[in-house]
């Protein structure tokens, strides 16, 4: 398959966690706009300065900024056989722009009820050395890495509720848009990490 795959879902659905297995199965590189933006914020680049306030207040970064970022990323040689998008596109204008520069072959939507999201987000911890994602209860970190783990600035209850509103208002309609195109596969994301990985592997193998 030479096209790209989109991993779609609300904040905390497990997109970053489950990207690993799809990368393993398809060999496509993961392209996470959230990770790219966080890197830009930490380096203090112009992009980072522009994105920071939106991200910390739980709002989407403007479409034109995101589209520019993706155009640049897709020009790298490792993207020539398609990529795995994580957290992009998030609006219909982003999806329309993407359709002009890349072929999306499949969209895998991870479905998780809102009531599970807050716990997942508030308990998330990240390892800044390798990007590994942990959860204090659902994926406890090994003791030797505990001291260096960080919490994302937008991972607090107030901001996650705003991120969820942004998802329902601006992103969820995009799921319907892809469903109408006949390329969306929904996966139940409410089970354990292992159960969801299993469902995702099946979905990828059926593509
Ligand atoms: P982004 O970084 O993409 O954040 P998000 O979409 O809110 O998603 P998350 O990364 O929070 O969750 P995830 O689905 O990856 O879950 P994870 O696997 O980590 O975007 C951040 C911000 O950047 C946005 O708010 C916006 O401002 C901006 N932005 C980014 N892209 C943009 C775009 N295209 N357009 C405009 N703005 C954009 O899992 C979460 C936690 O749950 C972890 O602790 C994990 O261990 C745990 N967990 C995972 N699966 C399970 C499970 N099955 N059971 C129990 N726990 C689980
Ligand atoms: Mg993520």
């Amino acid at each position: 398959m030479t096209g790209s795959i989109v991993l779609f879902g609300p904040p905390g659905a497990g997109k970053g966690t489950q990207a690993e297995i799809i990368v393993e199965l398809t060999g496509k590189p993961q392209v996470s706009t959230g990770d790219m933006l966080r890197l830009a914020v930490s380096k203090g680049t112009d992009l980072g300065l522009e994105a920071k306030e939106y991200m910390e207040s739980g709002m989407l970064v403007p479409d034109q900024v995101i589209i520019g970022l993706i155009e640049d990323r897709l020009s790298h040689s490792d993207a020539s056989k398609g990529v795995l998008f994580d957290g992009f596109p998030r609006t219909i204008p982003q999806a329309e722009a993407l359709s002009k520069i890349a072929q999306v072959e499949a969209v895998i939507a991870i479905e998780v009820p809102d009531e599970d999201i807050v716990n997942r987000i508030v308990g998330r911890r990240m390892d800044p050395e390798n990007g590994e994602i942990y959860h204090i209860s659902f994926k406890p970190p090994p003791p030797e890495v505990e001291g260096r783990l960080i919490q994302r600035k937008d991972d607090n209850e107030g901001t996650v509720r705003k991120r969820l509103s942004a998802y329902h208002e601006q992103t969820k309609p995009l799921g319907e848009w892809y469903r109408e195109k006949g390329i969306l596969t929904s996966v139940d994301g409410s089970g354990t990490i292992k159960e969801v990985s299993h469902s995702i592997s099946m979905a990828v193998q059926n593509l």
Side-chain angles (χ1 to χ4, degrees):
M1 185 166 76
T2 55
S4 291
I5 300 176
V6 170
L7 199 45
F8 185 85
K15 301 183 294 294
T17 301
Q18 301 297 343
E20 205 175 308
I21 185 130
I22 306 180
V23 167
E24 219 170 89
L25 289 169
T26 65
K28 295 183 193 295
Q30 177 187 4
V31 172
S32 157
T33 39
D35 288 347
M36 291 159 84
L37 292 169
R38 275 184 291 280
L39 184 67
V41 171
S42 72
K43 287 185 173 166
T45 62
D46 289 347
L47 167 69
L49 293 174
E50 189 173 357
K52 191 171 191 275
E53 276 187 37
Y54 292 102
M55 296 174 79
E56 287 178 8
S57 61
M59 288 161 67
L60 293 187
V61 173
D63 287 338
Q64 280 321 309
V65 175
I66 299 289
I67 292 163
L69 190 66
I70 289 292
E71 280 171 348
D72 179 62
R73 180 63 185 85
L74 293 185
S75 69
H76 296 195
S77 59
D78 70 337
S80 64
K81 291 193 176 126
V83 304
L84 172 65
F85 290 111
D86 159 4
F88 171 85
R90 257 167 144 104
T91 62
I92 291 172
Q94 289 182 19
E96 282 170 340
L98 177 63
S99 69
K100 295 189 183 116
I101 53 173
Q103 194 202 350
V104 174
E105 293 204 356
V107 177
I108 298 176
I110 309 180
E111 313 265 3
V112 179
D114 282 8
E115 55 269 27
D116 292 352
I117 299 286
V118 178
N119 273 345
R120 288 197 188 182
I121 292 281
V122 173
R124 173 168 49 193
R125 299 292 183 274
M126 315 268 294
D127 186 339
E129 280 188 17
N130 53 23
E132 190 69 35
I133 304 165
Y134 295 102
H135 189 283
I136 50 173
S137 313
F138 307 133
K139 190 182 174 187
E144 63 273 19
V145 306
E146 254 171 48
R148 63 174 192 241
L149 299 183
I150 54 162
Q151 195 169 12
R152 270 169 49 176
K153 272 221 165 120
D154 58 347
D155 277 358
N156 55 73
E157 192 168 343
T159 310
V160 78
R161 296 212 183 272
K162 293 192 192 134
R163 287 159 61 196
L164 267 173
S165 304
Y167 170 76
H168 285 290
E169 283 161 29
Q170 294 167 276
T171 307
K172 213 173 169 194
L174 178 60
E176 286 313 308
W177 193 84
Y178 276 128
R179 195 186 299 281
E180 280 162 21
K181 294 195 181 305
I183 56 170
L184 185 126
T185 304
S186 290
V187 166
D188 177 6
S190 64
T192 63
I193 293 176
K194 220 172 150 189
E195 285 165 348
V196 180
S197 296
H198 179 71
S199 307
I200 289 193
S201 310
M202 304 291 280
V204 170
Q205 277 151 18
N206 284 332
L207 292 179

